[in-house]
Amino acid sequence: MPLPRTVRAERRTVQRVGRRTEAAPATNWTRLITVVAALTVLTRLPSFVRTPWNPDEGFLATQARQLANGGVLYETVVDRKPPLVPWLYRAAFAVFGDDSLWPVRVAAILAVLVGAVLAASMAARRWGERAAWVAGICYVFLAVGLDPEDTQAATFEVFMLPWTVAAMWCAERSRWFVAGLAVAGAVLTKQTGGAVLLPVCVVLWQLRAGWTALLGVGIGTALPILGTALAFGPGRFLYWIATGSGAYLSADGSGLKPLLRALGGLGLLTLAALPLVVALVRAVRQRRTGGHPYPAICPGRRAPLDGTADVWLWLAASLAAATVGLQFFGHYFLQLVPPLALLGAAALHELTARAATAALAGTAVLACGYVGWGFTAGRDELDHAHRLADTVRSYTDREDRVLLWGMHPEGYWLSRRAPASRYLTAGFLTNFSGGRGEARVGERYAMEGAWTHFERDLRRRKPELVVDDSRGKEYGVRRTPTLRRHLGRHYEKVATIDGSEFYLRTGP
């Protein structure tokens, strides 16, 4: 009597894992989790020494306050991102207050820890206990392997990564519907998290799980996304997370700046993973020649990286996702961390214990350098944001609305003043982006209908103070006719601080 398909799939999974682990000893999970948790806290200590780290944190904090005061996401509170992280900030502020970001910084530590432990579990299932330790520890070290503004902030990629690892973890265990739910969680955290669906489907194909499993992944992925779309209105939801960002995702006319940013981000992450990359290159070369890097020490062992096609595809899909829009902000490359940690664990698994320890120690030393960078990073932008917020408070009362015309919305949160418009940065209205520079900037490149909504906002919620924080950039008030005319009719310039110009309302 033939076995049911699910039983046959599970048996193939067990056989596949058994070949990989070669009867490896059980992992001491209590000890591993304790060590990984301690390393996660230590590597993320710099996140607590400054607030905020980058404009995304200021944007999310301001959004959370607006939501708490009755704002409606994608209507009076807008962004190009899915809703999970704004909801997380809103929940943290509801419980702990909205004067500090330490609650979301703690949540970021937990997110890194969850991702690292799931990656360690995947490595243990494939290659055994030592690989589990390497994968978990390297995940933590690589998660700080970029500019501190990109790694120490509690923003979208940090919370997206555990979902992607969970999707692969569930797929390996033939939990197809839950794997789909994890894919949906990644998508609803940041759109590019959906790239993990490709390696999940590869695992499904490798296990020959069949159409029922594929249906389970599809339903698990679709249900939360469709439910969220229906909750906000399908057209509005689709516009804000996809169709409304056409000009923003174009790199026309931006020259070499995106390429240089990409090389910078990849270079920093490659440096952080340098011992792992060296081991990977050596392992790949040995595999191509059909040999083993240590044949006398490991006779009869399989070539390194056997059975890692799904992880390589995961790495490739993550790299492709990081290129969407050709913006190449450093934090985009955090998406490469989980597959890179697993591939590093696979490569180090084939080394002698001494060589693997040396490689891991080298990775730890590099991580210490990045953590030290976090403690010593320049504070010029942050100091400017605090001076701007102090000036805003000096010209306004607590109930007044203000308009910060710039790309640093943290000024709203730091000054405790509500924004006059649903658009928290000038990027929505001019298409300016720090990742692309001055290309395709101006009112004509704004999101469709944005200026109509913007002018309506200014009539309904007249800002007491307008701050031109462009500081000479192409999107400044002098190059924005509609806003320039509005200021000329109703405002007068009262101060200039660090290049930012302050306009106080004089008329109705």
Side-chain angles (χ1 to χ4, degrees):
M1 179 178 177
L3 293 171
R5 176 178 292 177
T6 55
V7 175
R8 295 200 304 272
E10 185 64 27
R11 177 172 292 180
R12 283 192 296 269
T13 304
V14 172
Q15 291 170 348
R16 179 171 173 245
V17 172
R19 287 195 301 270
R20 285 173 170 174
T21 58
E22 298 180 353
T27 304
N28 186 332
W29 286 106
T30 300
R31 184 180 177 190
L32 188 152
I33 292 173
T34 301
V35 171
V36 170
L39 291 174
T40 303
V41 171
L42 290 173
T43 55
R44 299 195 67 83
L45 283 178
S47 68
F48 294 92
V49 303
R50 60 188 291 177
T51 297
W53 269 100
N54 66 28
D56 281 353
E57 283 191 323
F59 199 115
L60 287 162
T62 303
Q63 273 188 314
R65 273 195 185 148
Q66 288 180 284
L67 293 174
N69 292 326
V72 179
L73 197 57
Y74 305 127
E75 186 173 338
T76 60
V77 182
V78 300
D79 194 9
R80 293 184 172 99
K81 299 294 194 302
L84 282 191
V85 181
W87 284 344
L88 172 65
Y89 269 66
R90 171 69 185 93
F93 283 2
V95 175
F96 300 102
D98 63 2
D99 291 329
S100 173
L101 296 184
W102 73 261
V104 291
R105 301 282 170 75
V106 173
I109 289 175
L110 294 176
V112 173
L113 176 60
V114 169
V117 171
L118 288 174
S121 178
M122 291 180 65
R125 186 176 177 90
R126 294 171 182 242
W127 307 294
E129 181 178 19
R130 193 175 82 181
W133 281 89
V134 171
I137 291 173
C138 286
Y139 185 107
V140 173
F141 288 160
L142 297 183
V144 295
L146 289 161
D147 189 309
E149 289 188 6
D150 297 308
T151 59
Q152 296 293 339
T155 53
F156 299 94
E157 285 80 8
V158 172
F159 297 111
M160 177 185 72
L161 292 188
W163 289 110
T164 64
V165 188
M168 291 294 288
W169 187 92
C170 292
E172 278 202 335
R173 288 154 178 79
S174 299
R175 300 174 186 176
W176 304 115
F177 179 73
V178 182
L181 292 177
V183 173
V187 172
L188 292 174
T189 303
K190 189 182 178 186
Q191 297 93 318
T192 55
V196 76
L197 182 61
L198 182 59
V200 165
C201 289
V202 167
V203 174
L204 189 153
W205 176 78
Q206 288 176 328
L207 297 179
R208 295 176 174 84
W211 291 104
T212 302
L214 184 61
L215 185 62
V217 172
I219 293 174
T221 302
L223 281 180
I225 297 174
L226 290 175
T228 305
L230 290 173
F232 288 109
R236 183 189 306 161
F237 181 72
L238 185 63
Y239 174 81
W240 280 106
I241 71 168
T243 60
S245 301
Y248 179 79
L249 297 177
S250 171
D252 290 350
S254 50
L256 292 176
K257 184 170 183 177
L259 177 60
L260 295 176
R261 291 182 66 88
L263 293 175
L266 281 173
L268 286 173
L269 187 58
T270 301
L271 176 62
L274 190 59
L276 307 181
V277 172
V278 171
L280 269 174
V281 171
R282 182 168 185 174
V284 170
R285 291 180 61 184
Q286 290 293 338
R287 181 175 183 178
R288 286 179 176 175
T289 59
H292 193 285
Y294 298 98
I297 299 173
C298 307
R301 292 290 296 276
R302 304 172 70 204
L305 305 183
D306 276 355
T308 57
D310 56 334
V311 186
W312 281 106
L313 186 60
W314 186 6
L315 181 68
S318 299
L319 181 59
T323 68
V324 172
L326 302 178
Q327 300 286 325
F328 298 121
F329 292 109
H331 48 85
Y332 288 9
F333 295 102
L334 285 173
Q335 196 161 351
L336 279 65
V337 165
L340 191 55
L342 282 169
L343 290 172
L348 266 59
H349 176 62
E350 299 299 330
L351 302 181
T352 63
R354 178 176 295 180
T357 301
L360 196 58
T363 307
V365 170
L366 290 165
C368 288
Y370 283 92
V371 172
W373 184 8
F375 281 114
T376 59
R379 296 176 53 95
D380 290 346
E381 258 326 308
L382 180 61
D383 291 341
H384 169 77
H386 280 280
R387 285 192 292 270
L388 184 147
D390 291 341
T391 307
V392 168
R393 283 195 298 270
S394 70
Y395 280 103
T396 59
D397 295 325
R398 181 69 180 84
E399 65 277 5
D400 288 335
R401 299 269 183 172
V402 301
L403 173 67
L404 303 182
W405 185 255
M407 300 300 292
H408 292 268
E410 58 266 31
Y412 291 116
W413 183 70
L414 292 171
S415 65
R416 297 194 66 86
R417 298 296 185 265
S421 170
R422 70 193 70 192
Y423 303 109
L424 300 187
T425 71
F428 296 105
L429 296 149
T430 65
N431 197 44
F432 179 84
S433 166
R436 185 182 51 247
E438 306 293 317
R440 294 170 60 85
V441 175
E443 289 187 31
R444 59 178 173 155
Y445 298 111
M447 299 184 75
E448 183 180 354
W451 278 96
T452 300
H453 290 299
F454 179 68
E455 292 181 276
R456 187 179 302 147
D457 289 343
L458 295 188
R459 289 194 298 269
R460 290 177 177 175
R461 300 178 291 189
K462 295 181 175 65
E464 184 66 22
L465 186 72
V466 176
V467 183
D468 180 6
D469 193 36
S470 59
R471 288 174 282 169
K473 298 288 195 310
E474 189 67 25
Y475 65 87
V477 168
R478 290 184 177 87
R479 297 182 177 91
T480 312
T482 302
L483 182 58
R484 186 177 67 243
R485 288 193 296 269
H486 184 79
L487 290 179
R489 288 194 298 266
H490 306 291
Y491 293 83
E492 67 174 355
K493 185 177 175 180
V494 293
T496 300
I497 306 294
D498 294 341
S500 298
E501 298 176 339
F502 293 74
Y503 296 85
L504 195 61
R505 184 155 64 95
T506 58

